[in-house]
């Protein structure tokens, strides 16, 4: 399997890495594009049949080996078996089997219209990012050991990504994590989740500033190429290809669990921010998985809903980016969206470069086909199964409330955005699977507002806020940051 960059030129494609192991530890392609397979592998009906009875780890192995062709099969089998265990994904709801890894249950039914919930949030940090990040931790450790190398992951988080990365990398040989977060700006639960880790390879750095200050520091350090190389700095942000491909697996799992034969179809609704999760759904569909619709659900930050309704992609400025009660979807631009655009414009890297240059210079592009627009590919969007909707705080509260009344389940704020939008798109005879991207306990303040009581906490999380915490506080000062990293990498 060869990989290409969405912004490749004749010259850059000769230099870009193009195998799975070579792009595993990186982010952007050197030419500024995102990596995608040169061709999507196709899945046959016979394969789908054979996969119906596989445990999750076995299914993950079958799918990953189509993308990670340069990792020996036996190694990949061991890595997936070690990752997708009932013990790692132990935080399943009462009545769900943790061995299912991503259990499904019917949420509501109205005649032939059925909504199904697929739980992706039973891992260590109670959000779907664990689905990919846990595998990434094991893949990184494996790849680094093979080359007798090490890696220092440096990132900024406002919540879910940082904790998922830390829980995936804790105790891993050859890896350290330096994670910046805005001091006293995360919820008590999120702070406790990260800061209660005492592993010697995890460094929590609380920056006296806001999330943007943290991100600016990451950018400043990353732009110092010699520092970055000397201290072996890497990232695990949502554009990482291995994260996307690990997410493809649960679309297959959801399909197989919700159907009995391959002539049936399902749809998915995905609470979306950076388009990483639903991008994996698009890839599953391109591989031949019988997906009818892929519904993008956004909150008040509706960059993606606007595109999928109008064909216009218009990134937001900081001042136009709202802080909402589904904060993991509070984005101003969708970093993985370029992967879909590449397919939409016929895999033409020159078009992609021109469109995203326009994003940089003019804040967006327009594929609606209107006079003066940048193209008419919006007409093809429905052919890829895509549609969208948006949800607001009031919708979230109402949805959490009425899901609880109907089914007795407490869903989190992001999942509530998904359910709200799913109800607008569900079709008779096609199960609509809503991806549950976090457990309610993580966003308890809003649960209290909606239901007048606390969300249940999985066992082991009862007293998390009272555990001893390990972190350092730092001013937003790049030199101080570099000194700290250098002192702890010993490089
Ligand atoms: C990250 C996250 C999302 C958004 O996922 P993307 O891949 O960025 O679209 C949605 N919900 C929760 C709870 C998340 O942590």
């Amino acid at each position: 399997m060869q990989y290409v960059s969405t912004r490749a030129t004749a010259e850059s494609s000769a230099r870009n890495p193009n195998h799975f192991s070579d792009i595993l530890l990186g982010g952007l392609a050197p030419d500024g594009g995102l990596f995608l397979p040169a061709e999507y592998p196709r899945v046959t009906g016979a394969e789908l049949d054979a996969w119906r009875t596989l445990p999750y780890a076995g299914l993950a192995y079958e799918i990953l080996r189509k993308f990670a062709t340069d990792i020996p099969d036996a190694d990949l089998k061991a890595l997936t078996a070690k990752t997708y265990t009932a013990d790692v994904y132990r935080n399943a709801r009462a009545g769900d089997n943790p061995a299912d890894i991503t259990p499904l249950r019917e949420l509501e039914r109205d005649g032939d219209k059925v909504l199904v919930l697929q739980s992706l949030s039973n891992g260590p940090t109670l959000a779907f990012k664990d689905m990919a990040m846990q595998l990434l931790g094991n893949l990184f450790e494996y790849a680094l050991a093979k080359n007798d190398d090490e890696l220092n992951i440096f990132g900024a988080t406002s919540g879910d990504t940082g904790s998922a990365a830390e829980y995936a990398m804790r105790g891993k040989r050859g890896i350290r994590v330096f994670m910046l977060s805005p001091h006293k700006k995360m919820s008590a639960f999120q702070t406790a989740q990260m800061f209660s880790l005492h592993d010697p390879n995890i460094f929590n750095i609380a920056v006296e500033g806001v999330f943007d200050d943290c991100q600016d520091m990451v950018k400043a350090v990353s732009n110092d190429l010699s520092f970055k190389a000397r201290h072996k700095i890497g990232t695990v942000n949502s554009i990482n290809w291995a994260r996307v491909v690990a997410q493809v697996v649960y679309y297959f799992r959801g399909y197989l669990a919700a159907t009995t034969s391959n002539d049936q179809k399902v749809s998915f609704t995905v609470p979306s921010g950076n388009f990483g999760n639903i991008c994996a759904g698009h890839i599953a569909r391109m591989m031949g998985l019988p997906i009818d619709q892929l519904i993008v659900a956004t909150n008040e930050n509706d960059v993606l809903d606007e595109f999928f309704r109008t064909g216009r992609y218009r990134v937001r400025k900081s001042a136009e980016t709202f802080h909402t009660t589904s904060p993991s979807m509070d984005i101003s631009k969708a970093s993985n969206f370029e992967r879909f655009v590449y397919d939409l414009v016929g895999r033409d890297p020159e078009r992609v470069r021109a469109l995203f240059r326009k994003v940089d210079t003019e804040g967006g592009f327009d594929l609606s086909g209107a006079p003066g627009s940048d193209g008419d590919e919006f007409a093809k969007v429905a052919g890829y199964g895509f549609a969208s909707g948006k949800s607001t705080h009031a919708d979230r509260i109402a949805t959490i409330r009425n899901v609880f009344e109907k089914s007795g389940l407490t869903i989190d704020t992001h999942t509530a955005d998904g359910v709200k939008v799913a109800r607008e798109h569900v079709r008779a005879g096609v199960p609509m699977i809503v991806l549950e991207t976090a457990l309610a306990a993580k966003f308890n303040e809003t649960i209290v507002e909606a239901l007048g009581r606390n969300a249940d906490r999985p066992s082991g999380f009862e007293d998390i806020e009272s555990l001893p915490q390990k972190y350092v506080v730092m001013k937003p000062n790049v030199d101080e940051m570099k000194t700290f990293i250098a002192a702890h990498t010993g490089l």
Side-chain angles (χ1 to χ4, degrees):
M1 161 87 47
Q2 298 267 325
Y3 287 86
V4 295
S5 160
T6 53
R7 297 192 194 183
T9 60
E11 187 219 350
S12 81
S13 51
R15 282 185 291 115
N16 281 343
N18 58 7
H19 289 102
F20 185 84
S21 299
D22 303 326
I23 63 176
L24 172 65
L25 300 169
L28 286 178
D31 58 28
L34 304 184
F35 289 111
L36 273 177
E39 240 174 82
Y40 293 118
R42 294 288 299 182
V43 169
T44 64
E47 278 175 308
L48 270 186
D49 282 333
W51 293 355
R52 284 187 178 277
T53 52
L54 288 179
Y56 193 96
L59 180 65
Y61 163 67
E62 293 294 342
I63 291 169
L64 272 149
R65 65 196 288 257
K66 293 182 180 290
F67 293 96
T69 48
D70 58 340
I71 296 183
D73 276 351
D75 294 349
L76 206 51
K77 200 166 208 168
L79 288 164
T80 47
K82 177 175 163 186
T83 304
Y84 295 109
T85 69
D87 188 46
V88 172
Y89 295 91
R90 74 176 78 147
N91 300 306
R93 277 197 179 79
D96 283 345
N97 181 1
D100 290 346
I101 310 298
T102 64
L104 271 67
R105 57 161 82 200
E106 190 175 303
L107 200 57
E108 57 194 44
R109 176 184 287 271
D110 173 11
D112 283 340
K113 292 184 174 174
V114 184
L115 252 58
V116 177
L117 191 68
Q118 183 175 8
S119 299
L120 306 180
S121 311
N122 300 338
T125 72
L126 314 185
F128 91 96
K129 303 221 165 42
D130 291 327
M131 292 305 303
M133 207 69 92
Q134 286 289 317
L135 180 72
L136 210 62
N138 289 324
L139 276 170
F140 276 21
E141 186 178 50
Y142 164 84
L144 292 167
K146 230 178 175 177
N147 300 321
D148 194 21
D149 205 349
E150 50 188 294
L151 178 70
N152 294 301
I153 294 168
F154 183 45
T157 188
S158 54
D160 290 344
T161 306
S163 58
E166 291 187 354
Y167 281 76
M169 306 298 166
R170 63 188 296 198
K172 294 275 186 283
R173 251 176 307 126
I175 305 177
R176 291 181 203 84
V177 179
F178 297 88
M179 191 58 66
L180 308 183
S181 57
H183 189 37
K184 297 191 171 154
K185 300 271 184 340
M186 293 190 296
S187 75
F189 185 92
Q190 286 178 316
T191 307
Q193 241 185 349
M194 287 179 55
F195 293 6
S196 65
L197 290 181
H198 290 260
D199 305 77
N201 70 329
I202 304 293
F203 300 93
N204 283 305
I205 300 152
V207 176
E208 290 177 330
V210 294
F211 176 63
D212 283 340
D213 297 315
C214 300
Q215 250 185 340
D216 287 347
M217 282 170 75
V218 172
K219 272 189 211 137
V221 171
S222 302
N223 287 341
D224 182 343
L225 295 182
S226 77
F227 183 88
K228 198 175 157 195
R230 184 163 68 250
H231 294 285
K232 300 181 188 286
I233 304 282
T235 57
V236 286
N237 47 25
S238 79
I239 56 159
N240 179 284
W241 168 247
R243 277 181 70 181
V244 175
V245 81
Q247 292 169 181
V248 171
V249 178
Y250 53 71
Y251 286 88
F252 279 84
R253 181 68 171 193
Y255 174 80
L256 294 170
T259 59
T260 49
S261 85
N262 304 340
D263 50 18
Q264 296 166 293
K265 287 194 166 190
V266 305
S267 295
F268 288 90
T269 298
V270 187
S272 292
N274 273 320
F275 204 77
N277 193 348
I278 201 161
C279 184
H282 164 66
I283 292 167
R285 196 174 184 276
M286 297 300 280
M287 291 170 72
L289 190 67
I291 295 176
D292 182 24
Q293 303 180 88
L294 285 165
I295 310 294
V296 179
T298 74
N299 63 18
E300 291 89 334
N301 296 293
D302 57 355
V303 191
L304 288 169
D305 180 46
E306 182 175 353
F307 176 80
F308 285 102
R309 276 185 302 103
T310 68
R312 285 190 299 276
Y313 182 62
R314 184 175 60 84
V315 304
R316 310 299 201 246
K317 303 194 178 70
S318 308
E320 295 176 298
T321 308
F322 305 107
H323 291 282
T324 75
T325 43
S326 43
S328 301
M329 293 154 58
D330 293 348
I331 50 100
S332 53
K333 58 178 197 281
S335 52
N336 273 289
F337 183 54
E338 184 169 331
R339 289 193 157 111
F340 173 65
V341 171
Y342 181 69
D343 285 343
L344 186 65
V345 300
R347 302 202 130 215
D348 176 352
E350 206 169 315
R351 275 302 292 298
V352 172
R353 256 182 286 126
L355 291 173
F356 284 89
R357 202 178 306 129
K358 210 164 166 200
V359 171
D360 292 337
T361 56
E362 292 171 42
F365 54 75
D366 180 355
L367 298 179
S368 68
S373 63
D374 305 295
D376 59 2
E377 283 87 353
F378 179 60
K380 296 186 190 156
V381 159
Y384 286 92
F386 275 98
S388 72
K390 88 182 247 193
S391 165
T392 63
H393 179 76
D395 293 325
R396 227 165 276 144
I397 297 289
T399 307
I400 291 169
R401 216 171 264 162
N402 64 45
V403 165
F404 183 74
E405 282 158 10
K406 274 191 193 174
S407 65
L409 293 187
T410 307
I411 55 170
D412 104 289
T413 51
H414 307 76
T415 311
D417 291 332
V419 170
K420 189 264 178 184
V421 172
R423 286 171 173 160
E424 298 163 355
H425 290 274
V426 59
R427 292 173 173 163
V430 183
M432 172 65 83
I433 300 177
V434 181
L435 298 184
E436 179 174 55
T437 55
L439 292 192
K442 269 197 119 157
F443 301 96
N444 189 48
E445 295 78 0
T446 310
I447 301 302
V448 172
E449 184 182 341
L451 301 180
R453 57 160 191 81
N454 290 319
D456 292 337
R457 285 194 178 186
S459 67
F461 288 87
E462 294 86 354
D463 298 319
I464 187 166
E465 290 94 339
S466 59
L467 296 175
Q469 300 192 349
K470 181 188 127 184
Y471 62 99
V472 297
V473 180
M474 206 178 277
K475 296 221 156 35
N477 179 317
V478 175
D479 288 330
E480 205 183 322
M481 185 67 241
K482 286 181 179 167
T483 307
F484 183 86
I485 292 178
H488 289 92
T489 60
L491 293 168

